[in-house]
């Protein structure tokens, strides 16, 4: 499975960005697809995910109500719409995929077999 994330950039606080993650080589419609991020000096943290296709949508508390994960199965692409951005959202954002994780491990980066290169999001104050 290959993943490639796009869409990062520099945005002012309060602004919006949409990230895209194109996938190939997997069973996109059935895989768990997720976004993680890693800020300066921080561990990689869970942001949002579809569990096993569209069985459920999950968000980190820090982004709930501001970020929306969506998918286009025809394009094998998952998106992350980010609104009301704050400087605390500054990070490298990664997309990840798993064919086998269980729900209790959804938020752990160690549970994912496949990772794309990150895309940098910088939010200025």
């Amino acid at each position: 499975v290959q993943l490639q994330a796009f869409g990062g950039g520099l945005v002012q606080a309060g602004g919006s960005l949409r990230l895209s993650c194109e996938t190939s080589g997997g069973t996109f419609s059935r895989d768990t697809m997720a976004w993680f991020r890693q800020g300066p000096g921080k561990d990689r943290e869970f942001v949002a995910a579809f569990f096993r296709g569209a069985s459920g949508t999950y968000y980190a508390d820090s982004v709930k109500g501001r970020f929306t994960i969506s998918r286009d199965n025809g394009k094998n692409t998952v998106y992350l719409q980010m609104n009301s951005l704050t400087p605390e959202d500054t990070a490298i954002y990664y997309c990840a995929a798993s064919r086998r994780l269980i729900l209790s491990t959804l938020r752990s980066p160690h549970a994912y077999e496949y990772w794309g290169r990150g895309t940098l999001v910088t939010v200025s104050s």
Side-chain angles (χ1 to χ4, degrees), residues 13-56:
S16 300
L17 279 176
R18 187 175 83 153
L19 306 183
S20 302
C21 176
E22 297 179 358
T23 75
S24 61
T27 51
F28 180 78
S29 62
R30 299 194 301 272
D31 292 345
T32 293
M33 300 296 302
W35 288 97
F36 285 78
R37 67 185 182 186
Q38 188 163 13
K42 297 182 180 179
D43 293 333
R44 192 167 299 189
E45 65 173 355
F46 172 81
V47 176
F50 283 108
F51 176 63
R52 291 188 183 173
S55 297

Side-chain angles (χ1 to χ4, degrees), residues 83-106:
N83 299 328
S84 303
L85 286 161
T86 74
E88 288 69 37
D89 296 314
T90 294
I92 300 173
Y93 284 72
Y94 300 88
C95 58
S98 175
R99 296 179 174 179
R100 64 189 188 203
L101 66 76
I102 58 176
L103 186 56
S104 61
T105 65
L106 182 77

